[in-house]
Amino acid sequence: MSLKNALAPFGIWARALARPYTIPVEDIMRAPADRYRGWHTNDAEACIGCGSCSDICQNAAIDMVVNRDATKGDTGLRPMVDYGRCCWCALCVDVCPSGSLGLSSEYTWVDKDPEVFRYVPGVDKKPWDDDTKGWHGGEWDLINHDRVPMSMLPGETRGQTWAEVVLGYSEEEAQREAARCLECGICTAACPAHMHIPEYIGAIRDGNYEQAVNLIYETNPMPEMCGKVCTRRCEDVCAHAKQGEPVAIRWLKRFATERFDDLREVIKADVAPIGVGKRVAVIGGGPSGITVAYYLAIRGFEVNLYEALPTLGGATFFGIPKYRFPMPSLEKQVDMLRGAGVKLHVNSPVDAALFEELRSTHDAVFIGAGLMRGKAMRVEGEDAPGVVNALTFLLEHHLRNNTDSDKVSKEPVVLPGMKVAVVGGGNTAIDAARVSLRLGASEVVISYRRRKEDMPADWEEIEDAEHENIQIDVQAIPLRIEQTPDGRLDLIWGPAEMVADKPGARPKPVLVEGVENHLVVDRIIGAIGQGPNLRWLSPEAQGTIADKWGWIKVNEDGMTGMPGVFAGGDLVNETADAISAIADGLRVVQGIPRWLGLQ
Amino acid sequence: MNEFVQEIQARFEVLWSNPQRPDLMQIGVRQVNALPLLTWLKSNTGYFILNHFSAVDWIEDGEFQLTYLLTDYAARRSLMVCVRIDRAAPTAESVHHLWPEAVTYEQEMFEMFGISFPGSPRQGVDLLLEGWEDIPPMRRDFDTAAFAEEAFGFRPGRTHTNPRDRVAIAFGQKGFLHDH
Amino acid sequence: MGVEEKGKVPLLPSGVPVGSKPHATDSTLFAQGRPKPLSLDESVAFIKNWFRAQSLNVMAYGTGCGSIELGPLGTSRFDMERFGITGGPTPRQSSVLIISGYLSVKTLKRVIRSYEQMPNPRWVVALGSCTINGGMYWDSYSTIKILDQYLPVDVYVNGCMPRPEALIAGFKDLMDMIKRGEANGYIEYQNNLDWYRANQRKVIKDWNLPEYSW
Amino acid sequence: MELLLQILWSSIGVLIAVAYGLLTGGIVRKLFARIQGRVGPPVYQGFIDLGKNFFVRDNISHGPMFYFGPALRTAGGVGIFLFIPAIVGWAPGENFSFAGDLLLVMYFMFFGSLGMALGGSAGGHPHTPIGAGRGLSQMTAFEVPFILAVIALVADTGSFSVHDLTLAQAGGFLEWNLLTHPFAAAAAFIAMLGMNGYAPFNVVGAPNEIPVGPMTEYQGGFIATLGTGRAIFAIAKMILFMDLFLGGATSILEAFIKVFVIYMWSVAVAAVFPRYRVDQSMRFFLGWPALIGVVAVLLALF
């Protein structure tokens, strides 16, 4: 040991005069790193209460607690975090489909009471609620926002064929898509029939298709129809829809039902035969009528179903083009009715006398006659030859092509080479346009009063129409129709500008005066809505069950003002879609036994 | 590694072999052959280090698997010797005379799986679980969460509502194919 | 489950229930317009508590992962010694026991023994989620879930694990509580010893601790 | 009457020594902290710790012997202080110095450690005998150079009285034994490092390996008593060194300064060197320091 070695360490005494490294007391609560994961924050208004955070938590730290009323698109639950469990892994943030959950950068919480470390972020006010630092996700997500793409016929070729446009999922695709489901059940609130959506998607994911269709049949006797053409409000509220694409609930239902050629072997009903000896007459073979007939038949009721057209299906038969909903699919569902023992009377329009007879011979009568009257466009020259209503057009077309009915005109309304204009923006307008195209129309134009984003038709339908080279003229208000000297029709329209008259309401189209545009076509199809038509009933009966416009009012059991007469479907609800009609039917399925005192 | 397995096969019956990595081979042997094989490996080959010794519960087969991980540090290769033993009466021969460090593994396995190694010095002496009365906790038929709740309890005052149930109740979800 | 409610309300030596503040924060005092002077007992208690709070000896016993956060407290950056907090090398000379996270049943046995060897007044600081409701180890067969069933906890510092800064905040709170005479877990422990013992014996199956180890 | 007055003065001296010891301890902690880049505790932290230990409610005893440790330790410190002159030539500071006091003081130095060994062992803690054994071993080792240094001084001066030894250096700082007996001073000051129990000779109370050695079972009031004893012991030792080598003090201020400076020697070393094991420290004290002591004795004798 040299002297230098012994003395050198004393040099460290110089440190005694240097500034200490210690953080001063006043700065001790340092701000952490920007992405430090501290206490939870939640935007309680954006949160939808899907419970994904609770499901993924490995420590079972998150409870869903009742915070507000459940609405469509919000379960009314909000996550409550137990900090006696949390380990700040932020899986809950990364999996949050609404992106509302986050972690602030606050990290200090000291208390003598162990019960306080539990709160509902965003609801129980905390000092760190507005902290923008911390971890708020967004850089990556644990959930898959993109749905498995659906394969379709290419747009340029399908205009020449009646083949189904949508090709359907393969098994692998369906399971992959089903695996995206978060199983929160928010969709069931938006579905009018409140179907068991997460359950059957789970069954599809597990490859248990038989269970899946059984779950579907719990509340829907026309799942293949719904799987193809449902308005699918469920997908609008899907938790995935907040930040990405919703789960393809419709395509999954279609996939499950298409797995089986004959569902009669698969569906296992297990209900008490409470209706043995009771007779129910169903007027109208649309979705609501089929629903009532099927579920009452499996309960032992003797059901007579009267349909004016040669085939069942109602609006789903004559309103929906077969490239969307082919006849075999419809036949499959009708077979289920036959299997359940429903007596089908097709080509049997009901008139006032038969109605009275049905009332006297049956314990209950259900009216699901639908909206059979197309609304007029109310423009000058509407009664010119070549101007047809979309409903008439589609009905005539479907009867001609899919039945042996003789109630058809000599030649189709739209002939090859014609130029067709469709007035309207709903699904019916799109259907009429696409059918016209397939009938050989050289050019099809859709003319709509508002903007494209205001169109009530499905955005998928609009896209499909555009892919098929259908022209869409928007903000076009029809003024009058004139006949040109060469026998064609001139649709004169004026441009509209959108005026928002009150906040929140959708803007109204207002005609720009003085400008007139001409659209010269061979056929004009008006598709601006449908209305009820109860003229087949006696005036007294009409007055008892319906208001002066023909809409039927029913009570919570689906019963009209006339005892024993129930109603449902488009005549009753204004949404005018198949799933609402099915929901009406389900209401009556409960209402009739209750009215008959069978429960 | 395959030649080495052939060499073992020449002496002992190798039930199966499974190369996991270029430097890691897994072989399965019968229980009667286990101790002779390990003794031979320890004394006659480079695999004289017992790196790890553990058990796997194959509850479906009614067996435990004992896994001896031996390493040849000179050759930088490892050999996993797997032995299946009966789950109903789990007993295996102790290797503490070959590797003193095996005592702790054997003590732990007795405690966590209930596998007994007769002759192992600290057999039955508590290592981690003092006064354990239930079935050994690493067995797969032991329900940890249920045990934790029963034995320790969780802080009361928490309620959870399943979102699906809440929606179903709020909107009156029903089924019409079955009577519920 | 099945732990019965604590029986009587623990009392301070002066007969005041635990949790009630013994000095001038009572609103009735201010109703008279000025704070009431402290009585002799209260003054002595205040002085005692001030000394106790300004000199804390932390028992050197890391029970879980959180003890890794205790280390930095002694380093130059955080320097807990400037607050009068030092390490207590033996339970006899320690006044603060830090339960740093999960506590296995085996460790609990040692912790109880150590805690009971600490002279009164003594305080328990619980770190992390595990001490509150099991935390990450909520479904573990070998760790306790609710610490206050077995030991009286004076201060919880939440986090998994809490940063050293949070721990300092916890110490500050503990010191304030001691000065106010509110950190009375040790009195609660003595007054409810039977309750604590029953809980401890429930999880420690091979109970071989002395009945009286302080 | 004069005796009673002396007792009064000495009692006040003891109190001042305790206070000064605690303050010095606080300063030392602060210095150590600053060297480590920390702020460190306030300098009055020693008083707070003492008060806090007195206010611990429970004092667990392990029988009558258990009281001996703190009692003997404190008695040793007080004893040293009382029997050497703190301030030479000023009656209140002369204490009870008498002709053979150096021998008594040397005995008192052993006294504390012995008491700790006895009392601590009564606690029954297994760490106690380990710590006590280490402490006594190290003590026997550092006593060798220290005693050799003292023998050298005594041989040169011809008196066992600290008072006389101090007076012999009275003619200014050039007369100090530090300069006149450099070998003895060197041996003694190296021995002091072990005596003070700072690094590198702090394995006795090593808090990391064997919690605080002999004091493992002591708590509360015992620790407070021990702390008092340690404070006065440290000061008393420094006064002894001051008297032996730095010519004593003639005023309180001088005493304070000299004591502090001597204390700093130990601190200066402690702050920068790591710890010796007990066998290493024994080997160290019985090596060069002992040899220097022998040289000092030889120089004094011939």
Side-chain angles (χ1 to χ4, degrees), chain A residues 503-563:
Chain A
R506 70 175 186 170
K508 270 169 62 175
V510 174
L511 184 69
V512 179
E513 295 291 340
V515 185
E516 282 190 359
N517 295 315
H518 296 267
L519 181 65
V520 179
V521 294
D522 299 302
R523 292 283 183 268
I524 294 176
I525 301 174
I528 57 163
Q530 294 142 268
N533 179 2
L534 291 179
R535 270 169 288 181
W536 50 275
L537 279 176
S538 63
E540 305 85 62
Q542 278 188 52
T544 316
I545 65 173
D547 61 17
K548 61 180 175 178
W549 297 284
W551 298 99
I552 299 180
K553 293 277 172 279
V554 295
N555 65 9
E556 66 275 8
D557 278 347
M559 193 160 79
T560 63
M562 190 180 282

Side-chain angles (χ1 to χ4, degrees), chain D residues 208-235:
Chain D
N208 295 331
E209 302 93 318
I210 45 162
V212 296
M215 307 190 310
T216 309
E217 279 290 307
Y218 283 111
Q219 83 292 106
F222 296 107
I223 287 286
T225 315
L226 279 169
T228 317
R230 182 182 293 171
I232 192 167
F233 195 53
I235 295 303

